[in-house]
Amino acid sequence: MQIKPVEETIAGVLGIEMGEITEDKVTATMPVNSSTHQPFGQLHGGASVVLAETVASVGTWHLIDQENEIAVGLEINANHIRGKRDGIVTAVGTPLHKGRTTMVWDIKIVDEENRLICVSRCTVAIVQKKK
């Protein structure tokens, strides 16, 4: 399975850029602008969820057998703590569980002053590639 270029994905549409990717931490940024706003000019909760799931999925993919397995979101929840109108948000994901068939990630999304915007937990399934 070939990975699509980021510009052909929702991450590209929303302007998500990956940062650090290690076994114990994944970071990514996303602009807060008209592409990520809800109708009242605030960061859309759905955009925050896309950012959180992107971090969890990329983090899981980094830890699996990429030749034979893929990572797919199984469940996600999010609490939106603070509104944001513009600027940049940063997601920091850390794995809570690294299993054979699932991984669970804690993702905190913060603003430029490190104020909490959203907290999310995402479970990612690890499935065998179809050959």
Side-chain angles (χ1 to χ4, degrees):
M1 173 181 285
Q2 183 121 2
I3 293 179
K4 294 181 81 168
V6 70
E7 59 273 0
E8 294 179 16
T9 70
I10 193 165
V13 170
L14 296 182
I16 294 171
E17 293 184 7
M18 298 308 300
E20 181 179 354
I21 304 172
T22 70
E23 290 187 6
D24 297 312
K25 183 168 134 182
V26 176
T27 66
T29 60
M30 182 177 69
V32 180
N33 57 30
S34 61
S35 295
T36 57
H37 280 164
Q38 40 92 303
F40 304 105
Q42 294 281 334
L43 175 61
H44 195 294
S48 294
V49 170
V50 170
L51 177 60
E53 187 169 332
T54 299
V55 164
S57 294
V58 168
T60 299
W61 182 79
H62 179 74
L63 294 169
I64 63 175
D65 174 4
Q66 298 167 5
E67 292 294 319
N68 297 303
E69 298 172 321
I70 60 172
V72 294
L74 182 63
E75 190 276 337
I76 191 164
N77 68 50
N79 293 98
H80 308 291
I81 309 297
R82 176 188 307 271
K84 180 128 176 87
R85 291 189 169 278
D86 55 27
I88 301 283
V89 291
T90 300
V92 179
T94 56
L96 299 173
H97 166 72
K98 299 179 195 177
R100 283 184 306 102
T101 59
T102 62
M103 293 195 190
V104 179
W105 289 78
D106 176 69
I107 304 101
K108 291 183 174 62
I109 300 174
V110 297
D111 66 9
E112 299 90 340
E113 284 79 44
N114 210 36
R115 292 179 297 195
L116 189 61
I117 302 297
C118 176
V119 62
S120 178
R121 179 167 291 170
C122 183
T123 303
V124 180
I126 302 162
V127 297
Q128 295 297 310
K129 287 183 181 180
K130 293 182 180 170
K131 302 211 178 193

